[in-house]
Amino acid sequence: MSYEELLTELSLANERFVVMTAENRALIRNLPQLLGKRFIDTGITEQTMIGAAAGLALRNRVPVVHALASFLSMRAFEFIRTDAGIPSLPIKLSAFIPGLLSDANGPTHQAIEDVSIMRGIPNMTVFAPADEDDMVKMMPAIWASPKPAYTRINTRKTSYVHAPFEPGKAEVIERGTDVTILTYGLLFEQALIATEILKSEGLLVGLINMRSLKPVDEQAILNSVDQSELIVTLEDHFLTGGLYTIVAEVLLKHQKTARVLPFALNEKWFKPALLPAVIEHEGFSGKQVAEAILGYQTSHIQPEILKPQFAE
């Protein structure tokens, strides 16, 4: 089942659902004729869309709003904070082409600080599916919650079959005593590849899909720290404010220390290209991640992608 099929099914079954977009119909092309007045396109007006969604939510509707992740998280930030976060309204934010998924777009269209921005809003929940299967399993619970939610939409098809979803719970794929990789979203695919390479080198490797970033599964993080010699965070997001920061916050809260090796964008936007080239250029391919982990294990040398790379 696709995102559109799922949203269509739920919307036709529940008249509280209203589907909205700021002139971004890529995910929902067939819904206007099916939903009639319950489909609203506000045009290129993300702020107006959120304000209207708040009004609908106050009238017992569940607005599912759509826009590019960069514009939804930044251009409409104040409206999301004020109209969704403060009153804790069930406005569901579907953020299209987040992170590296905006591959060929330049910095203005790159949402690589969105997790940091959205999780900083009180009452807001934040989710990042690994692929289409993961997303379809996650969305019903996200849409059913009374809380506002920001979801990094990921329609990539993979062969991996994910476990059922529960908000606030991570998906533990494997447990390992040498290394545990914590990841979310698009880079889950690369983490799977890295895991197999590391296992072929004789390491006992764990892998966790941190699909729920707020609320986050603190126990899964703490268990990984207790069980593994090295924790790796892998994310298509700035180093600041994302999973690396979340792990640091959890460790500090519970008065724990750990060896943590982060893979993230450090003070720079990524170079636009087709997605495979972007992943390779930025050092996020499974092979590159595995090699960097093996190098770190033997020498504790920081990978190149973690050295300061300030934008010019």
Side-chain angles (χ1 to χ4, degrees):
M1 179 178 285
S2 68
Y3 175 94
E4 184 178 52
E5 289 168 341
L6 178 65
L7 184 54
T8 299
E9 181 180 288
L10 293 178
S11 298
L12 292 176
N14 187 345
E15 290 193 354
R16 291 181 63 211
F17 276 80
V18 178
V19 177
M20 305 181 72
T21 181
E23 204 176 81
N24 189 280
R25 301 192 181 194
L27 293 168
I28 46 176
R29 295 190 189 282
N30 297 308
L31 265 66
Q33 58 268 38
L34 295 174
L35 296 184
K37 291 182 179 180
R38 286 194 292 131
F39 183 94
I40 301 170
D41 188 338
T42 65
I44 308 175
T45 55
E46 291 82 4
Q47 297 168 334
T48 298
M49 178 176 65
I50 298 301
L56 289 164
L58 286 169
R59 286 154 180 80
N60 200 35
R61 303 290 186 176
V62 180
V64 184
V65 307
H66 302 81
L68 296 186
S70 55
F71 303 138
L72 190 56
S73 62
M74 289 183 283
R75 182 174 293 167
F77 171 78
E78 182 188 355
F79 288 72
I80 292 170
R81 170 191 174 273
T82 304
D83 294 349
I86 291 175
S88 192
L89 294 176
I91 299 172
K92 311 304 178 180
L93 309 167
S94 290
F96 193 52
I97 60 169
L100 298 186
L101 286 171
S102 65
D103 53 1
N105 290 301
T108 59
H109 286 54
Q110 294 177 12
I112 50 179
E113 60 276 275
D114 57 329
V115 171
S116 174
I117 292 170
M118 287 293 116
R119 77 182 189 91
I121 300 174
N123 297 317
M124 182 62 67
T125 54
V126 180
F127 305 98
D131 49 41
E132 186 175 62
D133 178 71
D134 200 22
M135 178 180 61
V136 170
K137 286 174 177 171
M138 292 171 65
M139 298 316 297
I142 293 169
W143 289 334
S145 168
K147 286 185 166 290
Y150 177 87
T151 304
R152 273 186 155 203
I153 296 299
N154 184 355
T155 59
R156 283 179 64 81
K157 299 180 187 300
T158 71
S159 60
Y160 194 85
V161 178
H162 292 271
F165 171 71
E166 180 183 347
K169 295 295 183 182
E171 180 186 26
V172 179
I173 312 300
E174 292 189 69
R175 299 186 185 277
T177 54
D178 292 318
V179 180
T180 294
I181 301 174
L182 309 180
T183 190
Y184 62 83
L186 164 72
L187 292 179
F188 176 79
E189 295 177 56
Q190 303 305 320
L192 281 173
I193 296 170
T195 298
E196 292 306 312
I197 295 172
L198 293 170
K199 286 163 66 176
S200 73
E201 294 291 332
L203 295 181
L204 297 175
V205 187
L207 174 59
I208 300 180
N209 175 20
M210 301 296 296
R211 60 211 320 201
S212 179
L213 293 167
K214 184 188 177 185
V216 72
D217 193 338
E218 294 188 7
Q219 196 57 55
I221 294 172
L222 295 172
N223 289 344
S224 299
V225 169
D226 290 338
Q227 296 164 5
S228 293
E229 293 182 7
L230 176 66
I231 302 300
V232 172
T233 59
L234 174 62
E235 57 187 323
D236 55 336
H237 189 275
F238 282 142
L239 188 64
T240 301
L243 182 57
Y244 177 59
T245 300
I246 291 170
V247 170
E249 291 169 355
V250 171
L251 294 180
L252 184 60
K253 176 182 176 180
H254 293 274
Q255 295 294 288
K256 283 183 172 288
T257 58
R259 290 173 62 211
V260 181
L261 175 62
F263 290 80
L265 294 158
N266 192 20
E267 296 288 341
K268 75 180 187 71
W269 287 265
F270 61 82
K271 183 177 180 179
L274 295 180
L275 185 57
V278 173
I279 291 172
E280 187 78 20
H281 182 269
E282 301 301 339
F284 291 129
S285 73
K287 182 174 183 292
Q288 290 168 311
V289 169
E291 289 174 349
I293 292 171
L294 290 169
Y296 181 84
Q297 285 284 72
T298 57
S299 65
H300 289 194
I301 294 175
Q302 201 178 57
E304 283 293 323
I305 61 170
L306 298 179
K307 295 176 181 177
Q309 301 174 59
F310 295 98
E312 296 179 358

